Amino acid sequence: QLVESGGGSVQAGGSLTLSCVLSGDTITENCIGWFRQAPGKEREGVAAVVRGNVAGSENNYYTVSGDSVKGRFTISQNIVQKTVYLQMNNLTPEDTATYYCAADPWGGARFGSTCTLAPKPFGFWGQGTQVTVS
């Protein structure tokens, strides 16, 4: 199960932090991703993280972000709390969408030390949380 929270309404230039709590079969050592979908548009990959630390290091892990959010959005994780975060800064109206957290339990989204941002390999999805920027 994946449970998102943290969505809401914010003015342009503002910030929000989304949280995704993992449980059960969604606790995977593969990729956890954030996606978004605006009305009338296809689901878009925003950012993803390879769950777990880089071997031999603490608090270092592999992440990937989409071009449209680079420099503004940051994905992070708390492994102990089984939570993945999406810090969103400098929001614009174009960021308005329903944001989904997704887990890749079978490794199809993982390519070495990175993840694809294509939605298809992610097998488990949360219910979504709405972000509105005006």
Side-chain angles (χ1 to χ4, degrees), residues 21-22 27 51-53 59 77-83 85:
V21 179
L22 288 67
I27 302 174
R51 192 170 180 277
N53 290 325
N59 298 322
Q77 62 178 336
N78 184 314
I79 296 172
V80 173
Q81 295 184 355
K82 303 179 181 64
T83 304
Y85 303 95

Side-chain angles (χ1 to χ4, degrees), residues 3-20:
V3 179
E4 303 105 329
S5 63
S9 297
V10 65
Q11 291 188 338
S15 299
L16 284 173
T17 300
L18 306 182
S19 300
C20 173

Side-chain angles (χ1 to χ4, degrees), residues 60-73:
N60 289 321
Y61 40 81
Y62 297 113
T63 66
V64 60
S65 299
D67 290 339
S68 63
V69 304
K70 279 182 180 176
R72 301 188 300 124
F73 291 12

Side-chain angles (χ1 to χ4, degrees), residues 12 20-21 24 32 47-48 53 58 73 80 84 86 98-100 104 112 126 128:
C20 173
V21 179
I32 306 295
N53 290 325
E58 292 188 14
F73 291 12
V80 173
V84 176
L86 184 68
T98 301
Y99 283 71
Y100 299 90
D104 163 34

Side-chain angles (χ1 to χ4, degrees), residues 93-133:
E94 288 68 36
D95 296 315
T96 295
T98 301
Y99 283 71
Y100 299 90
C101 178
D104 163 34
W106 305 292
R110 183 169 180 177
F111 295 89
S113 60
T114 191
C115 305
T116 179
L117 291 179
K120 189 173 181 179
F122 289 83
F124 294 119
W125 292 81
Q127 80 287 354
T129 185
Q130 178 67 36
V131 171
T132 303
V133 185

Side-chain angles (χ1 to χ4, degrees), residues 27-31 50-52 104 110:
I27 302 174
T28 170
E29 295 304 315
N30 297 309
C31 298
V50 177
R51 192 170 180 277
D104 163 34
R110 183 169 180 177

